[in-house]
Amino acid sequence: SHMTGSALLGFAICLSNTWGLTLYVLLLGYGLVEVPRSIWYEASLSKALEYCYYEAAMSHDATERAADDLVTTKGIMDNISRSLQGSYAYRNQFNAIEDQFKALENVDLKMDGKLSDFSETALYEEIKEAKEPDLALLKKLNAHCRSSIRKYFRFRDKLQDIAQKGTMLQSLVARQGQPLDSLCKGGLTQLPQNVYLRWMLRWREPIFKLISIVLACASIITIWSQLTINKNARFLSPFAQMYVSAQSSDIN
């Protein structure tokens, strides 16, 4: 079960090709640049707070659009329900759709439907062109209602989480200029909170920046080693070194 020289050579070639393909995928998404940079920005509490504001604005916009889509969808459902009033053939589907909207009974969406892009969907065109909705169309509308409600609550919960994070960061930024000894009090009963404050106000920034620098150096070395795997600069590539070592190995 020992690895022979030819097997080691094949393994080195396979590893080099696999790493090259992985590298290209990461480079297409700017991952080797974005990951160290994002960690560097995250090290600063003020930068993290600014990014939190940006996330809050984007999440608020997404939540409003999801709420507007629900208002538009409910209006369409109400129109269909009035047009088919007294029809028992589709009552089960209407009941299912109405049950979906019961989750919004205590939610004030505060929207008027002007931001919704539901009118640009194929389902909207299908509803508009149908003289009388059939069972298949109502099933599609039911599925759309279910996904729209889930999307709204997902965006709303995310916005609430971002708001809590922003409040916490604002509090920490306001405490940055204060001595840690005056903030960390209470003995063992306040130990978790004191450790958290020391981490956020003293240790977090240098450790995050160190991790960012290490990842940036690793990214540079990774790109450099892959680009210099040819014969003229093999000493710069660890994979080329593996290839040469396996090629010259006398292990059988």
Side-chain angles (χ1 to χ4, degrees):
S1 60
H2 295 287
M3 182 174 289
T4 62
S6 58
L8 184 60
L9 176 62
F11 177 74
I13 295 174
C14 178
L15 181 61
S16 178
N17 291 335
T18 303
W19 183 258
L21 291 173
T22 305
L23 177 65
Y24 294 146
V25 170
L26 290 173
L27 284 173
L28 287 174
Y30 301 99
L32 293 177
V33 177
E34 187 60 31
V35 172
R37 184 173 62 181
S38 62
I39 294 177
W40 181 273
Y41 286 155
E42 192 70 19
S44 171
L45 289 177
S46 58
K47 288 287 185 182
L49 182 59
E50 290 177 6
Y51 184 70
C52 188
Y53 289 152
Y54 168 77
E55 279 190 314
M58 297 296 293
S59 183
H60 182 265
D61 181 67
T63 304
E64 281 195 335
R65 289 186 177 276
D68 221 42
D69 182 67
L70 283 175
V71 171
T72 303
T73 304
K74 192 172 188 312
I76 291 173
M77 187 202 72
D78 292 339
N79 292 335
I80 295 176
S81 180
R82 283 193 295 269
S83 65
L84 298 178
Q85 193 172 10
S87 175
Y88 295 97
Y90 307 123
R91 180 46 50 191
N92 287 336
Q93 282 300 320
F94 278 128
N95 291 338
I97 296 174
E98 289 173 356
D99 288 341
Q100 298 279 354
F101 279 96
K102 286 181 180 179
L104 301 172
E105 287 181 351
N106 298 322
V107 178
D108 186 5
L109 297 176
K110 298 180 181 179
M111 302 302 294
D112 53 10
K114 293 181 179 179
L115 293 176
S116 175
D117 54 1
F118 180 59
S119 58
E120 301 175 3
T121 62
L123 179 58
Y124 179 83
E125 293 296 328
E126 189 175 352
I127 294 173
K128 187 177 179 181
E129 293 175 0
K131 295 181 179 179
E132 181 175 330
D134 56 10
L135 186 60
L137 185 59
L138 290 177
K139 286 183 178 179
K140 290 180 182 179
L141 183 60
N142 186 11
H144 174 75
C145 292
R146 182 167 57 250
S147 63
S148 296
I149 292 172
R150 288 177 179 175
K151 182 172 67 174
Y152 168 75
F153 281 111
R154 184 172 67 250
F155 284 141
R156 192 192 68 171
D157 293 343
K158 182 180 179 181
L159 182 60
Q160 292 175 349
D161 292 340
I162 293 173
Q164 292 178 357
K165 180 181 178 181
T167 302
M168 179 266 295
L169 287 173
Q170 283 180 334
S171 175
L172 290 171
V173 169
R175 296 179 179 182
Q176 276 186 314
Q178 302 178 24
L180 276 176
D181 293 337
S182 64
L183 297 174
C184 300
K185 296 180 179 180
L188 293 176
T189 57
Q190 298 295 325
L191 181 61
Q193 182 179 356
N194 293 339
V195 171
Y196 173 76
L197 286 174
R198 290 185 180 275
W199 160 253
M200 294 298 292
L201 297 176
R202 175 175 291 178
W203 303 328
R204 184 176 185 269
E205 183 170 355
I207 291 177
F208 269 46
K209 286 186 175 181
L210 178 61
I211 294 173
S212 177
I213 292 172
V214 170
L215 290 177
C217 292
S219 298
I220 294 171
I221 293 172
T222 300
I223 298 171
W224 199 350
S225 66
Q226 188 64 27
L227 294 178
T228 59
I229 201 170
N230 57 71
K231 294 182 179 180
N232 296 328
R234 275 185 173 174
F235 65 94
L236 295 176
S237 173
F239 305 108
Q241 291 289 348
M242 290 180 61
Y243 177 82
V244 172
S245 176
Q247 195 174 34
S248 60
S249 175
D250 56 354
I251 301 176
N252 295 320

